[in-house]
Amino acid sequence: MTERVAATPGIYPLPDWAKGTLSDLKGHQKGDLLSGDEGGEIAETYDEVRAEFVDDQLEAGLDRVVEGEGRWDDMIAHPLTVHESVETGGIVRYYDNNNFYRDPRVVDDLGFSGDVAAELEAAADLIAGTDAGDAPLAATLPGPYSLATLATDEHYGDEGAFQAAIADFLAGELEAFPAHETLFLLEPSLVTNPPADGTEERATDAIATVAGATDADVVVQTYWGALDEKLYAHLVDEADADALGLDLVAGDRDDTVYNVQEYGATDSVSLGLVDGQNTLIEEPETVAERVEWFEGQVPAADFETTYLTPNTELFYLPENKYRAKLNALAAATEVLE
């Protein structure tokens, strides 16, 4: 019987109170964004944000709890923009939306950072101190392909070597993580800027390098539409992922279903079911219907786990809408019981 798990990849919107506080503490310019060595009142503010994110998820009843990534000023580029071997360049549009990040310019070897591991340790401590102390923790990292495409290489000198170095860096970070049940590897670039023909295996090798660094279930979360057929097949066969994340909101979901029907699937699947960029709140029954619709389209598949997730990160939303989306996902699993 398929287990249905309500979860998110994190990167939540800052609460309104924290936006004002952090703006006063950090300033308003590009150079004032987080560098990774913050302390004092700034660190204390992020601690409060993290605690609020954990409470939001526990109150909603999600089956996996993420740290929330309130410190990630640069969205999924964050692990590089705070790295000591990286200089930040100009402001770059974050995919096809009105958000921007600092261009991470890698200028030296990518050694161990520990920045994300410290965030997760703090989240694990928060969870342990609640009545839901055994709630499973989920970790979030950018996928190596997407992180490499978002960054600028000024050190490794070769696209393949750079992608492999990013993968090794992420794997090293992952080995320092506290115990976690699930890892979400966010790979939006696989849809928006896919590997050139003939280089798909290089991308899947990089993902497999990261996936191999954890004993947790690994979800390679793709979004903003359907994957190219050939790339989809490579991901299923070579990425060493327990679940491939499929966006059922953006793009033509029939193309996504066709890929599964034609090329098979991972043992588990993660479905993007609520719109991470639209304030319209989906009813739990609607979310449940989308799950049943998908599973009904691929009757030969018998998934170990179906993850119910938003189709993107949730930082695009107002905080009240983001909480409503958490509630809808958690309630949908109850509808499906």
Side-chain angles (χ1 to χ4, degrees), residues 191 221-227 232 244-260 269-276 282 286-298 303 306-312 329:
V191 172
Q221 194 83 354
T222 71
Y223 41 100
W224 287 323
L227 290 155
Y232 176 87
L244 189 58
L246 305 173
D247 188 343
L248 296 188
V249 176
D252 189 341
R253 64 182 186 178
D254 288 336
D255 290 342
T256 294
V257 168
Y258 172 81
N259 283 338
V260 180
V269 66
S270 178
L271 302 178
L273 299 162
V274 302
D275 194 333
E282 297 85 353
T286 302
V287 177
E289 287 171 3
R290 291 174 180 175
V291 173
E292 291 173 332
W293 175 83
F294 176 83
E295 293 178 345
Q297 299 298 307
V298 288
F303 301 113
T306 295
Y307 294 89
L308 281 60
T309 74
N311 71 321
T312 69
L329 289 168

Side-chain angles (χ1 to χ4, degrees), residues 146-305:
S146 294
L147 190 56
T149 61
L150 292 176
T152 300
D153 173 31
E154 296 186 359
H155 177 67
Y156 291 96
D158 173 83
E159 186 177 340
F162 185 51
Q163 204 172 109
I166 294 282
D168 288 340
F169 160 64
L170 292 172
E173 298 302 295
L174 185 51
E175 289 172 356
F177 283 10
H180 51 285
E181 188 81 11
T182 306
L183 169 70
F184 283 94
L185 276 181
L186 308 188
E187 284 284 18
S189 293
L190 289 173
V191 172
T192 64
N193 184 23
D197 189 32
T199 67
E200 297 90 348
E201 187 173 355
R202 189 166 70 197
T204 55
D205 284 350
I207 293 170
T209 295
V210 183
T214 179
D215 293 330
D217 290 337
V218 176
V219 179
V220 177
Q221 194 83 354
T222 71
Y223 41 100
W224 287 323
L227 290 155
D228 169 82
E229 289 181 43
K230 183 179 177 183
L231 177 58
Y232 176 87
H234 274 283
L235 286 165
V236 170
D237 292 338
E238 301 165 3
D240 200 23
D242 297 279
L244 189 58
L246 305 173
D247 188 343
L248 296 188
V249 176
D252 189 341
R253 64 182 186 178
D254 288 336
D255 290 342
T256 294
V257 168
Y258 172 81
N259 283 338
V260 180
Q261 293 170 332
E262 188 69 18
Y263 301 104
T266 43
D267 293 338
S268 298
V269 66
S270 178
L271 302 178
L273 299 162
V274 302
D275 194 333
Q277 294 185 266
N278 191 312
T279 57
L280 178 67
I281 304 302
E282 297 85 353
E283 293 294 330
E285 290 77 13
T286 302
V287 177
E289 287 171 3
R290 291 174 180 175
V291 173
E292 291 173 332
W293 175 83
F294 176 83
E295 293 178 345
Q297 299 298 307
V298 288
D302 184 16
F303 301 113
E304 293 178 5
T305 303

